[in-house]
Amino acid sequence: MKNFDPKNEAGQYIAPQGLYERNKARPFLGSLTANRHELVAGEWAELVLTYEVGGSGLADGAWLKLAFKFYSDWALFQTSDPAAANYISAEYQAGELVPGQSPATVQSLKVRFDQKGHERPFQKTVIVDVVDGYLNPGDRIMIRLGDRRHGGPGTRVQSFVEKDFQFRLFIDPLGSSKFAEVPGDVLLNIIPGEPSALQIITPRLVNREEPFDMIVRADDAWGNTCRNLPLAGSLLLSGANGEHHDFPFTLAEQGWAIVRLGGIRLGHPGEWKIQAKVEDARVANAQAYVNVSTEANALRPLYADLHVHSDDTVGTNDTLYNLSYGRDVAGLDILGYTANDFNITEQRWDKAVALIHSLNEPGRFVCYPGTEWCGNSCAGGDRNIVFLRDSKPLFPFDEHGRLVRSFEWNEFTHGTLTPGAWPVDDLYAAYAHDPEGHLMMPHVGGRRCNLDWHHPELERLIEVSSAWGQFHWVYAEALQRGYRVGAAANSDEHQGRCGGGVPATAVFGSRGGLTGVLATQFDREGVAKALRARHTFATTGERSFASLRQAEHLMGDAYVPELSVPLEYQVLGDQGWEEVSLYAGGQRIWARNLHEELGLASNRIRIRLGGARIKDRYRGAYWTGEVQVTGATITDFSAFGLDHPEQVCWRNDASTIGFRTDTNGDSDSIEIELSNLAGCKIMLKSRIDSYIKVGDPLEPQPYVHAPEVKLELDGDSLLATQQLEKQLPGAELKVAIERITDKELPRDVSGQIDLPALELESGREHALFITARQRDQSRVWTSALFLSL
């Protein structure tokens, strides 16, 4: 297209000298730059982003949106206290004028932060309003994230690593609230911090003489695996019979700081202790356990994460990075890639499926493609679909050319939303012709699953834990409704750290999860059969093990039981089991309290906080409080279940402990040793706040149904009753003060349960499952045995 030529076409007119040429040379929408290009995950920093106004200028009443992706846990920005953390500001700098040009008339800039200020995925937004005037091309707006000029510490950067973290600027040049994207995002490389601790990845149960691999890696304080760190160390395995094996290693010099020790065989049955250490005082040693079964020629339990995102949709880093991390860093046996169905382009889907097929390696790493159907809860709610066959998945169209997305929308599309497979009834119709080729899992995340809908042939598992939180209630509800579903747990990882997931500080504030799979063969077909047979257990991200069976019947089976044959259970962990419970649907019908069995201490108590405010997206309960003891001195205390460095407890004085944490269905605890329990008084008080989605992050938003909680009792009453628990309105929201043992809790708990003693009602089916909790508040759930009496 031919451009205008004012000098030759416009005739005589008046204009600032040289301004036309200068503005024509500028990008029309301007440009965005930053003073930093690399940040350390979780560091405190001041980041300055500068927008230079382009040829368009900015009209009186215009506004700008500096946006980044919603899954980032970058600390929430505030504008009310310049001396406090995470303060943001915006300032105007006039550009150079040419002869005859009037200065801009802008009076000031007003800045605010809105977590949902723009379209997904660029939802988190710093908004700058132009007040009383316009801006000229070449003027600058400087946005300071973590402004330190008033004495504040800066802003806490997101806690997980990311290559090419994006800040994207949208401007409203005409003051009409019609936004345009400024070309050229600011890209930051967010890297791991200093090494903090080793991690050992190992199966928890192997068979005698069965070869298996172990991974040792070095992580920073936020759980990011370090890079380019060739530390030398050793891995020591100690058996109960006094047998030892010592494996020297060196972490990788290039790439992730990991080492994989393959083909390990242990012949002596029983528990083996594993210890890893390196020659670096900064790095804490690691410890884990593996049990060797007396069986031979069988397959160990496999560990799966069937819900993993990449930057194809709303994840961090690309698909190859995430799949490689799952295999090489997290040591997964099975991985399910997940694409938000409305969000992924067909081109990216086809590329991802080809990559998944190329990485699938029977005997080492089984990988499946999958989607997340993202229907609203009123239409059925989130369902994950795992495509179990080797053939091309039926997505985004079925064999009849019908769209099987919930709808199609992403940052590359515009216009009206057109529904596809909506509501979930249509999704069932798309895959019901081949149930053996598909696994559907209802999911509690943002758009939580609605159990008014259920397809018995497709929905064989339900997700009881993920990075969104723990959802014992959804599993119990499904079984209470009579649905035959087994237990699954996955990371739903958005932050590039699948395999259980490392908690972040925002809505993905829980440990994540893993699905244990009891398969007879280690390939797609064998794993698929085990998943659909519900031969599974769920963990909160750890390599724990759980089993419930009756004779030859495994958890997940439906059958008529022999009443004279007892149920058998076993749980294996690494922190010590404190509680094992048997549920029939939503009702607990049998339990073991390992604290009581070992003997309760006369001077040790525990404060336990748990649950969530609501069942929907922003479910976190944010606790800020203290434990006060009178008539005794606190001699020692320890916290368990805290998920990241910003969940903390501390000593105020000899008789008071303060705490700040949040729970998303999980539990956090503080164990306290007292000089004496008899004769003392204990008071727990806490404020319970909501997640700050809208408003000033420095102003707490009390949970409307339980803004505060207070428990008081005397030590003598606790010695008599052993526990005081208070149920609060919410999703399994509760607090407790309870006595605990001072003995070491067992890592291996097993036993038998007599069926007739349970007094189960005849003439109906009963769904019986085991759930257990460790001292560190990690949990396991088995799939149910479905017994028809």
Side-chain angles (χ1 to χ4, degrees), residues 502-624:
V502 179
T505 65
V507 292
F508 301 106
S510 194
R511 299 188 193 189
L514 290 174
T515 301
V517 183
L518 305 183
T520 57
Q521 59 191 56
F522 192 179
D523 57 20
R524 275 184 174 170
E525 182 182 3
V527 170
K529 286 180 179 178
L531 292 171
R532 285 190 47 81
R534 303 176 293 261
H535 292 165
T536 61
F537 59 91
T539 87
T540 51
E542 303 78 20
R543 293 312 202 269
S544 304
F545 170 79
S547 173
L548 177 66
R549 63 189 302 159
Q550 186 186 37
E552 75 279 6
H553 295 291
L554 302 179
M555 49 197 172
D557 289 350
Y559 62 98
V560 177
E562 174 58 56
L563 294 180
S564 63
V565 178
L567 304 180
E568 299 177 76
Y569 66 90
Q570 183 180 26
V571 289
L572 297 171
D574 56 5
Q575 295 297 312
W577 298 101
E578 61 182 28
E579 174 187 293
V580 181
S581 301
L582 179 71
Y583 277 78
Q587 181 182 5
R588 186 164 74 165
I589 59 174
W590 173 94
R592 288 181 64 182
N593 183 328
L594 280 304
H595 287 285
E596 287 187 0
E597 291 183 16
L598 290 168
L600 300 176
S602 61
N603 65 336
R604 293 181 68 89
I605 65 170
R606 177 173 63 183
I607 309 299
R608 188 143 59 97
L609 318 170
R613 294 183 307 108
I614 58 174
K615 294 180 178 179
D616 295 292
R617 184 187 299 264
Y618 298 101
R619 59 184 55 84
Y622 289 77
W623 309 80
T624 305

Side-chain angles (χ1 to χ4, degrees), residues 307 372 382 441-445 447-449 463 466 468 492:
H307 191 171
E372 182 174 1
D382 284 352
M441 288 182 293
H443 159 60
V444 179
R447 300 155 298 269
R448 69 173 170 95
C449 61
E463 208 169 78
S466 74
W468 290 97
D492 191 10

